[in-house]
Amino acid sequence: MRMTQRPPRSRIGRLGRLTAALLAALLFSGVLGTTGAVKAATTITSVKLDELSDTEKTIYVDDGTLVLLLWATSTDSTTSGSSTSNVTNDATWVSSNSAVSVSKGIVTATGEANNVVITGKYQGYSASVTLTAKYHYSELKLRVGDSTADAADKLDVQLGQNITLKAKGVNGGTLDDLADKATWTSSDASVVSVSAGKLTLNAAGKATITAKYQGRTDTIELTVTSPYKSMSIADASGVKGPFEMQVGEAAKALVATTLSAASANENVTAKATWKSSNEAIATVDEAGKVTPVAAGTATITASYLGVSATAIVAVRTPFEAIVFTPSTAQHLALSGAQLKITAKTVNGSVIDPDLVGAQWESTNLNVISVSGSGATATVTPRGKGTATIKLTYKSAVKELSVTVYPTVSEIEIAKDKLEVYVDDTGDLPQVTGKALDETKADVSKLAKWTSSDSTVLSIDEDGKWTALKAGKATLTATVTSGSAFTDTLEVTVSKKVLTLLPEQDNISLIIGQTVSLPKVTAVYEDGDEADISADVAWKSASTSVLVKDASLKGLLAVKTTLTGTYLNKTVKVTATVEEEYVSYAIEPSALSLTLNKTQSVKVTGKTKSGKLINLSSRMVWTSEDETIATVKGSSAKSLAEGTTKLTAKYQGKTLSVPVTVKAKLTKLTVSDPSLDLAVGATDAVKVTAIYENGRTLDVTAFSAWTASSTKVAKVTGGVVTAVGKGSVTVKAAYGGKTVNVRVKVK
């Protein structure tokens, strides 16, 4: 029987696990011998594990691994020979206790266990070994420093102390020092961190330190406190913050003082850790010296052994502002002159004109360069574009924008004429220059403007014009770009129109007839009026009405709108073009109205072709005496007694309607409502008419008189004559009203 060479059994520690795994892989792959699964032509007859000594059958928790090898004996059916092969890698491995695991023959213990059976199975055959898993140490104990006593579960410490923990492994009566072998952890490394048992106390608080080795652990809870109650920060004179400093001022020394539990003060300036919240404003060194950098506020913090203190540092510039002359954005021609800039600092009434140590710079040297020191600088244009001049002085920065324009050979104002109104204001128009490369460039900012009459139109420094009064002015723009180039703009200033009033709102034309356009009066905002008929631009909404010069011609029958424009206002007039009317019928032909009554007038026109057209809505009536009657549209309204006449013109013909206004009779009254007469006697009765406006009239002679019985009495012209005994009613009638007189004859 041929046997393969078997490697010696071994127990491998943690550091050798990688080597063990590599070794097993080599064995399983056959590199170290004839191993692997038995070929299909052979028959497995048995399997067997390597023999282990009693010592090897004991493994320790978390203390390396044990490698088992499983060997299969097989018979070759063709040769009748037998052989042994390593089938460890192909076998199925089983542990009887979860505290001990096995995989591909590698056994590891994670807890104590007795009589643990490890079984390797391969093709129906199996082999087993019984193992015992133990802890190498019965327990792990922590001790503080060189103490021979076990550490308590809790320990109070103070920041600043140096403390070392030792881990002792108990193995019977033997104590092994495991500090360097154990795994150390802290529940809060920000409070306490640990390395090989050496503690670093970082901050006040609580943390639990744990040491672990081969399944055994021990812990200690540390409570870390500061040896001080508080800390304060002050300057060298003992003055506490906030502190005020100026840029350029010498560094200020701060002192950090702690107060111990025994109320004792200790200067810890050199021991403390110093920090600035904003080093762009103020810095602080390890000795507590604060240096101002720039204007602003920073918080200085000192920390030492669990206590800290802060101080506010307010940094200001030694001046209120930096002022440039010129102060606004500048515009230069590339071929123009250099620009001189002066600067000064202002602090209330104190002015610093020197600015010693000030630094000037350009943000783009391809556009402008700047040279200068202190309070003055010279700017030289270098190329087209915009750049910024920056002055830095005692951390304060002042900037000025400078734009450089190309050299031009001519300029042109965007407008030739401008019409504006009094009190209007606006921006000066764009000025375009022709550059040397024939392109157009906006050089408006280079233009210097003048007005030929500043009482009509003025120009301010901001590039705006203001119209002051009606008139004309010429604006001239001058651009200096090597040479001086100019262009002009004519400006007409007019008073602003409040409204336009046409002489008539409606125009009636006969087809083919030409009439004059209506006169228009302008009412200005200042109350002045003027006939501006000649200056109104008229436009017809229909091509059937021709507007030419100052006349209007009807081409086809249409009703359209004429729009007249003058300055800022428009006026609209309705134009009606129609057939010629040969006659007009007015209904009623005359108006008779009582007071405060209205009545419509209907006008029907007859055209040459015989058509009858209702023209009532087209008529524009006027009253000769509007104290008696007024007219609106086609309706007349009476106001007072009297007579007047309504007139209207249509197609050149005048139509008229007489109007009579009378007050309405409200009632009649008699001088005696009853008479007692003897037969043959007479008596006169007076009848008075009372009208709605309160007017009275004696209408006795105009009344119609009757008696209910002429056998009793007779009446003529208001005179009653008694004829016979009895009673009778005498009636007077006038204007649709009646009044009675009772007469009794005795």
Side-chain angles (χ1 to χ4, degrees):
M1 180 176 64
R2 182 173 59 86
M3 300 287 291
T4 59
Q5 184 180 1
R6 293 180 290 179
R9 295 182 300 277
S10 63
R11 178 176 287 110
I12 303 172
R14 293 175 186 166
L15 297 178
R17 288 177 183 174
L18 180 60
T19 303
L22 178 61
L23 178 61
L26 292 173
L27 288 171
F28 300 156
S29 62
V31 173
L32 300 180
T34 306
T35 62
V38 180
K39 296 180 180 180
T42 62
T43 301
I44 300 300
T45 58
S46 64
V47 295
K48 181 180 180 181
L49 287 171
D50 279 346
E51 294 292 335
L52 298 179
S53 67
D54 290 340
T55 300
E56 290 176 323
K57 291 181 181 179
T58 300
I59 62 175
Y60 294 94
V61 176
D62 291 340
D63 186 20
T65 58
L66 173 66
V67 176
L68 300 178
L69 298 180
L70 183 66
W71 302 89
T73 300
S74 60
T75 301
D76 190 332
S77 59
T78 57
T79 63
S80 299
S82 64
S83 63
T84 302
S85 300
N86 187 338
V87 295
T88 305
N89 193 45
D90 298 310
T92 301
W93 294 89
V94 179
S95 170
S96 65
N97 193 309
S98 61
V100 179
S101 62
V102 60
S103 175
K104 297 186 183 300
I106 299 175
V107 182
T108 303
T110 58
E112 283 187 323
N114 293 318
N115 300 318
V116 180
V117 178
I118 303 298
T119 303
K121 300 178 181 181
Y122 182 74
Q123 293 192 9
Y125 294 89
S126 64
S128 300
V129 63
T130 300
L131 303 177
T132 298
K134 295 182 178 181
Y135 285 106
H136 192 79
Y137 296 100
S138 60
E139 56 183 335
L140 187 69
K141 290 293 184 179
L142 294 179
R143 293 182 178 180
V144 178
D146 295 328
S147 174
T148 58
D150 295 341
D153 293 338
K154 296 183 179 181
L155 180 64
D156 294 333
V157 295
Q158 287 187 332
L159 291 168
Q161 288 182 295
N162 293 317
I163 299 175
T164 300
L165 296 178
K166 292 185 177 180
K168 298 293 185 177
V170 180
N171 185 8
T174 303
L175 293 178
D176 293 339
D177 188 355
L178 304 177
D180 293 333
K181 299 178 180 180
T183 300
W184 296 86
T185 58
S186 171
S187 64
D188 191 344
S190 65
V191 176
V192 181
S193 58
V194 60
S195 176
K198 185 176 181 179
L199 303 182
T200 301
L201 307 182
N202 299 315
K206 290 188 177 183
T208 299
I209 303 300
T210 301
K212 183 177 181 180
Y213 184 72
Q214 291 189 357
R216 295 302 188 186
T217 62
D218 195 10
T219 62
I220 184 170
E221 182 184 286
L222 300 180
T223 299
V224 185
T225 59
S226 172
Y228 304 107
K229 292 194 293 185
S230 63
M231 175 188 283
S232 62
I233 296 176
D235 61 13
S237 301
V239 178
K240 297 182 178 180
F243 303 105
E244 295 186 5
M245 304 184 72
Q246 290 186 347
V247 177
E249 182 181 333
K252 178 185 287 289
L254 299 183
V255 177
T257 303
T258 57
L259 181 65
S260 69
S263 298
N265 290 324
E266 180 184 350
N267 187 331
V268 295
T269 304
K271 301 175 182 178
T273 300
W274 294 87
K275 184 178 180 182
S276 171
S277 64
N278 191 341
E279 293 190 346
I281 303 298
T283 61
V284 61
D285 64 13
E286 60 185 9
K289 290 184 177 181
V290 178
T291 301
V293 177
T297 301
T299 299
I300 303 300
T301 302
S303 303
Y304 182 63
L305 296 184
V307 290
S308 64
T310 61
I312 302 298
V313 176
V315 181
R316 299 180 176 85
T317 56
F319 46 83
E320 185 176 342
I322 298 176
V323 179
F324 275 164
T325 302
S327 59
T328 57
Q330 296 297 294
H331 304 273
L332 306 177
L334 183 57
S335 57
Q338 294 176 318
L339 172 68
K340 298 291 185 181
I341 302 177
T342 60
K344 62 183 179 182
T345 62
V346 180
N347 187 23
S349 60
V350 180
I351 296 176
D352 177 6
D354 299 324
L355 276 66
V356 176
Q359 296 181 344
W360 296 85
E361 64 177 308
S362 166
T363 59
N364 190 338
L365 292 174
N366 290 324
V367 177
I368 53 173
S369 62
V370 59
S371 61
S373 61
T376 60
T378 299
V379 178
T380 303
R382 298 300 185 186
K384 296 185 295 182
T386 299
T388 300
I389 296 298
K390 295 178 64 176
L391 170 65
T392 303
Y393 181 60
K394 292 187 176 180
S395 83
V397 176
K398 181 70 174 179
E399 297 183 345
L400 181 69
S401 175
V402 179
T403 300
V404 179
Y405 298 85
T407 302
V408 298
S409 57
E410 61 181 51
I411 65 169
E412 181 180 15
I413 300 175
K415 298 179 179 179
D416 295 327
K417 295 181 179 180
L418 186 63
E419 293 186 353
V420 299
Y421 304 100
V422 175
D423 296 330
D424 279 358
T425 184
D427 295 323
L428 291 164
Q430 184 183 54
V431 179
T432 302
K434 183 178 180 181
L436 299 181
D437 60 1
E438 300 295 321
T439 60
K440 299 291 184 179
D442 184 353
V443 293
S444 303
K445 296 295 185 179
L446 293 178
K448 307 297 182 184
W449 290 85
T450 57
S451 172
S452 64
D453 190 343
S454 58
T455 65
V456 174
L457 195 78
S458 65
I459 300 172
D460 63 19
E461 295 179 353
D462 296 327
K464 292 185 178 294
W465 55 260
T466 301
L468 303 176
K469 69 177 184 180
K472 293 181 180 292
T474 300
L475 299 186
T476 301
T478 302
V479 173
T480 301
S481 181
S483 300
F485 302 94
T486 62
D487 196 11
T488 59
L489 169 66
E490 299 298 326
V491 182
T492 300
V493 181
S494 304
K495 292 192 295 184
K496 191 170 290 186
V497 178
L498 183 63
T499 188
L500 298 177
L501 302 176
E503 183 181 39
Q504 58 191 101
D505 295 323
N506 295 276
I507 299 177
S508 179
L509 297 89
I510 300 171
I511 295 175
Q513 181 185 19
T514 300
V515 298
S516 297
L517 287 164
K519 291 183 177 181
V520 179
T521 299
V523 180
Y524 297 97
E525 287 188 342
D526 60 4
D528 290 347
E529 296 185 8
D531 183 351
I532 46 84
S533 303
D535 297 320
V536 178
W538 290 94
K539 185 177 181 180
S540 172
S542 172
T543 56
S544 296
V545 177
L546 176 65
V547 178
K548 186 177 182 182
D549 299 327
S551 63
L552 185 68
K553 183 176 183 179
L555 304 178
L556 297 172
V558 72
K559 183 175 182 180
T560 189
T561 299
L562 302 179
T563 302
T565 302
Y566 175 70
L567 298 179
N568 60 310
K569 292 294 181 181
T570 60
V571 62
K572 294 184 182 296
V573 174
T574 300
T576 303
V577 182
E578 53 195 344
E579 281 189 83
E580 182 179 1
Y581 289 92
V582 295
S583 63
Y584 301 91
I586 304 173
E587 299 179 50
S589 57
L591 296 178
S592 179
L593 302 172
T594 57
L595 293 176
N596 297 314
K597 298 298 181 182
T598 59
Q599 187 170 353
S600 298
V601 178
K602 180 181 179 182
V603 178
T604 302
K606 184 177 181 181
T607 66
K608 279 186 175 182
S609 61
K611 294 180 181 178
L612 297 178
I613 306 296
N614 187 341
L615 304 176
S616 301
S617 61
R618 306 181 193 179
M619 306 306 294
V620 181
W621 294 98
T622 59
S623 173
E624 289 184 350
D625 189 345
E626 291 191 343
T627 63
I628 295 174
T630 59
V631 63
K632 183 176 181 181
S634 61
S635 295
K637 182 177 182 180
S638 59
L639 300 178
E641 289 186 301
T643 60
T644 185
K645 183 168 62 176
L646 305 181
T647 58
K649 282 189 175 182
Y650 201 79
Q651 289 190 354
K653 297 178 182 179
T654 301
L655 308 181
S656 63
V657 178
V659 179
T660 301
V661 180
K662 293 182 179 180
K664 182 180 179 181
L665 176 63
T666 57
K667 68 177 180 177
L668 300 176
T669 63
V670 292
S671 55
D672 294 309
S674 63
L675 298 175
D676 289 329
L677 299 175
V679 175
T682 62
D683 200 353
V685 178
K686 180 182 177 181
V687 179
T688 301
I690 300 176
Y691 293 88
E692 60 183 339
N693 59 353
R695 181 172 64 88
T696 60
L697 180 65
D698 184 353
V699 294
T700 305
F702 304 104
S703 298
W705 294 87
T706 58
S708 60
S709 176
T710 57
K711 292 181 179 181
V712 178
K714 295 181 180 179
V715 61
T716 302
V719 177
V720 179
T721 302
V723 178
K725 294 179 179 181
S727 296
V728 69
T729 299
V730 174
K731 180 184 293 185
Y734 176 79
K737 300 292 185 179
T738 61
V739 63
N740 296 327
V741 179
R742 296 191 305 278
V743 180
K744 187 176 182 181
V745 181
K746 298 179 181 178

